[in-house]
Amino acid sequence: MKTFKKKIVLAITGASGAPYAMRLLEQLVLGDVQVYFLISPAGALTVKEECDINLPAKPQALQQRLMELTGACDQQILCYGRNDWFAPIASGSMPFDSMIVCPCTMRALAAIAMGLSDSLIERAADVTLKERRQLIVVPREMPLSAIHLENMLKLANAGAEIIPPMPGFYHKPKSIEELVDFIVARLLDRLGLEHALGQRWGK
């Protein structure tokens, strides 16, 4: 059985920002990462709207579709349903490295901050925090209310990293793709993965 460099949970919720998630998935596959893939129903709708990609609802069909889109090898992308409580990532006994919620709705952020586990996404995030593993949340909303900010602070105090998708412009981007890559590059940096996306400051 192939050994991957890292095991990372990627969860997509229904906030705008699906291009970040799909580009990140592509880069994780290129980086020899095994991806545990979760997506909410609203997340799938957003991917269709913003990326023109139809993602099947059933995990097995979704897994096959993502392998076709990314060129992933066998068992590199593993998909689970919203209420699949027998998924390995629902338990702290499953040693994955990191989890990233990208993009993250304010509803998902609030549920994670409150410790609610009404879906596998929220449960996996809860596991990540309780096991002291890396949790990255990419919230996509504006303006931010006091409730949103308080939930982000609560998660930050619990050990999560809050990384809003705020692109820089010092590299003089000429396309939407370059703006997307700027954010994905920062996420890959935080995950400790090498990449060749974008230009670094001073270089």
Side-chain angles (χ1 to χ4, degrees):
M1 181 180 293
K2 177 178 172 55
T3 301
F4 297 95
K5 289 182 180 178
K6 287 192 174 187
K7 296 180 178 181
I8 293 176
V9 180
L10 172 59
I12 301 175
T13 63
S16 180
Y20 297 124
M22 298 308 292
R23 180 64 162 154
L24 178 59
L25 175 62
E26 176 187 296
Q27 290 297 307
L28 292 176
V29 169
L30 288 174
D32 197 29
V33 170
Q34 187 174 41
V35 180
Y36 294 81
F37 187 88
L38 307 173
I39 188 167
S40 70
L45 289 174
T46 307
V47 169
K48 180 179 180 181
E49 181 69 23
E50 298 183 349
C51 303
D52 293 322
I53 297 174
N54 286 305
L55 295 179
K58 293 185 177 180
Q60 187 172 1
L62 175 60
Q63 191 166 301
Q64 183 61 39
R65 177 68 172 133
L66 293 176
M67 289 176 63
E68 293 169 356
L69 288 170
T70 63
C73 64
D74 186 47
Q75 296 298 300
Q76 189 170 10
I77 300 176
L78 302 173
C79 299
Y80 300 94
R82 184 183 189 280
N83 297 314
D84 188 355
W85 304 114
F86 289 99
I89 54 176
S91 171
S93 64
M94 165 59 191
F96 57 86
D97 296 287
S98 306
M99 178 174 179
I100 181 165
V101 186
C102 174
C104 184
T105 63
M106 292 302 105
R107 186 227 170 272
L109 188 145
I112 296 168
M114 292 297 293
L116 303 178
S117 295
D118 289 338
S119 72
L120 183 57
I121 289 176
E122 296 157 15
R123 173 57 186 168
D126 192 49
V127 166
T128 306
L129 288 174
K130 79 180 184 69
E131 297 295 329
R132 305 293 184 184
R133 298 172 189 162
Q134 183 184 38
L135 174 64
I136 297 174
V137 176
V138 184
R140 223 304 308 164
E141 184 64 271
M142 64 172 293
L144 296 168
S145 73
I147 294 172
H148 301 154
L149 294 168
E150 287 169 358
N151 285 333
M152 289 182 200
L153 179 59
K154 190 171 185 177
L155 274 181
N157 286 336
E161 298 180 45
I162 312 299
I163 305 181
M166 300 176 178
F169 292 87
Y170 58 81
H171 60 304
K172 297 181 175 61
K174 296 179 175 59
S175 67
I176 296 296
E177 288 75 18
E178 288 182 19
L179 290 173
V180 169
D181 279 355
F182 183 96
I183 299 302
V184 173
R186 300 291 77 78
L187 297 175
L188 292 169
D189 287 344
R190 296 307 306 151
L191 291 167
L193 296 170
E194 295 183 4
H195 63 86
L197 295 182
Q199 176 184 340
R200 296 189 184 276
W201 179 255
K203 293 187 179 181

